[in-house]
Amino acid sequence: IAKKIFDNLLKDLKNLNSDKKVLFIYDKKIDEKIIKNFALNLKTSGCSVFFLELTGSKINKSEKTLFKILDFLIQKKFTKNSVILSCSGGVIGDIASLASSLYLRGLIYLHIPTTITSIIDSCIGGKAGINYKGLINSLGTYYHPKVVYISEEILKKIPSREYYSGIPEIIKYGLIKKNSIFKNLIKAKDLIDKRNFNFLSKLINDSLKTKIFFFSKDVYEKDKRLSLNFGHTFAHAIEMGTQKIFKKEIFRHGEAVGLGMLCELYYAYKGNSKILIETEKLLKKYNLPTRILNNKDKN
């Protein structure tokens, strides 16, 4: 986690035991200046760098996108000692990770997360996958990036809705383990609104440490790691259901997780409870959805 990640990235590329062949996969929605800056820096790395632009929407989390990457690797004669570097949110990150695990049974994978949800959640833990036959993450494996780079420059440029839609995943960490995350989200909204990097760095660090606590001894989700799915059972249903009805994305993943947590808290406590009321209040504080409205509602 750094204000500028280029020095770290270039140093790692130089020191990696690789063939110095890099495929830089990036989301076309990322600010063009950031991509140009990365391209310029990568060209000074001494590596042969190839570029592949993808679109990180849920509909593209598919076998078609996966094989686009794999076909590119084959066409350009990448080896087991080559590198995939993804600069993206969770969708492309999951696909790039899966491609890294499949190609020649595994090459070197580095990741630069570019959304709040990917920065505080999906960038670590090793989950790689695609949606197939209408089922979320029905094909996948576990494959960990060698290094994850979290950059202030990217945090500052995340679009507003994308930025705030990651907050529910942070709230989740504050609910599933005793820590200061929930309290900090209540107290420090102004610092989050200003994207204060010192504060965000601590919040990111606390979130990722919480995730590591749950998955480090249970990577394959047999026991403790299942707690990280809090809110997600309802969330996936909400995402898929509303998208099917309206033929477009209605809720970002993080927004759906917020709704899912409310559903699960209501279900667990058989109605209203103090923690349900506090969680709903916190979601409202960040202008996040707390209700699924039907198409007749205007409010």
Side-chain angles (χ1 to χ4, degrees):
I1 304 172
K3 286 182 176 288
K4 294 184 178 179
I5 60 171
F6 290 123
D7 288 346
N8 293 320
L9 176 58
L10 295 177
K11 183 181 174 184
D12 289 339
L13 286 171
K14 185 179 178 182
N15 293 334
L16 278 174
N17 184 22
S18 75
D19 61 7
K20 305 303 178 189
K21 212 167 187 177
V22 178
L23 174 57
F24 182 63
I25 300 172
Y26 64 94
D27 191 332
K28 69 184 294 184
K29 293 182 285 188
I30 297 170
D31 188 287
E32 197 176 324
K33 287 180 182 176
I34 290 175
I35 297 303
K36 282 184 176 176
N37 206 5
F38 272 113
L40 285 170
N41 276 275
L42 285 169
K43 284 171 183 175
T44 68
S45 67
C47 298
S48 298
V49 184
F50 300 82
F51 297 87
L52 184 60
E53 180 185 84
L54 299 173
T55 304
S57 58
K58 291 171 192 170
I59 200 167
N60 290 326
K61 194 175 181 181
S62 65
E63 70 277 15
K64 185 178 176 183
T65 309
L66 173 65
F67 277 94
K68 186 173 183 177
I69 298 170
L70 294 172
D71 287 346
F72 192 96
L73 294 170
I74 291 167
Q75 181 192 347
K76 301 298 181 184
K77 295 183 171 58
F78 274 62
T79 74
K80 280 180 73 70
N81 296 316
S82 300
V83 177
I84 286 182
L85 170 62
S86 67
C87 183
S88 64
V91 169
I92 292 174
D94 278 10
I95 305 169
S97 179
L98 183 58
S100 300
S101 74
L102 291 174
Y103 186 72
L104 300 178
R105 296 195 177 96
L107 47 67
I108 300 163
Y109 178 52
L110 308 175
H111 185 41
I112 305 163
T114 61
T115 63
I116 290 293
T117 305
S118 61
I119 285 169
I120 57 92
D121 184 61
S122 66
C123 69
I124 63 169
K127 282 188 176 181
I130 58 169
N131 304 334
Y132 186 64
K133 298 290 184 182
L135 296 172
I136 292 177
N137 297 321
S138 55
L139 297 180
T141 185
Y142 296 87
Y143 197 74
H144 302 275
K146 194 169 183 67
V147 190
V148 174
Y149 305 90
I150 295 170
S151 154
E152 180 185 31
E153 181 187 16
I154 285 171
L155 273 165
K156 297 283 188 188
K157 295 281 187 179
I158 296 172
S160 182
R161 185 181 177 188
E162 203 67 61
Y163 179 74
Y164 287 102
S165 69
I167 298 292
E169 290 279 11
I170 303 175
I171 294 172
K172 175 191 78 177
Y173 290 130
L175 290 171
I176 63 174
K177 188 175 186 292
K178 192 173 181 180
N179 52 44
S180 61
I181 291 173
F182 201 93
K183 199 177 289 183
N184 285 339
L185 285 169
I186 294 170
K187 289 193 305 182
K189 184 175 184 293
D190 58 328
L191 293 175
I192 290 173
D193 289 342
K194 290 172 185 172
R195 307 197 188 194
N196 179 285
F197 188 65
N198 288 334
F199 178 76
L200 286 176
S201 295
K202 185 182 184 313
L203 195 59
I204 292 163
N205 199 44
D206 289 346
S207 297
L208 294 178
K209 278 185 175 177
T210 303
K211 181 163 187 178
I212 289 166
F213 171 82
F214 284 101
F215 86 77
S216 60
K217 293 181 181 176
D218 182 30
V219 171
Y220 301 108
E221 287 187 290
K222 305 292 184 187
D223 183 26
K224 189 181 277 190
R225 184 170 184 164
L226 291 167
S227 297
L228 294 169
N229 293 331
F230 176 51
H232 285 65
T233 303
F234 280 98
H236 288 314
I238 291 163
E239 285 178 89
M240 298 293 280
T242 52
Q243 187 163 317
K244 188 174 181 181
I245 292 166
F246 296 102
K247 311 299 180 193
K248 63 178 182 179
E249 182 185 75
I250 301 297
F251 295 108
R252 296 281 196 272
H253 175 68
E255 293 168 346
V257 168
L259 290 165
M261 287 191 295
L262 295 180
C263 293
E264 291 185 27
L265 286 169
Y266 186 87
Y267 182 78
Y269 289 100
K270 298 179 174 60
N272 280 330
S273 66
K274 185 182 177 185
I275 192 64
L276 171 61
I277 292 164
E278 287 179 355
T279 303
E280 184 175 358
K281 197 184 292 184
L282 186 54
L283 288 168
K284 285 179 177 176
K285 187 181 181 78
Y286 286 93
N287 297 314
L288 290 158
T290 58
R291 295 288 185 275
I292 304 167
L293 303 178
N294 66 41
N295 59 353
K296 292 178 183 175
D297 277 302
K298 301 297 179 188
N299 299 317

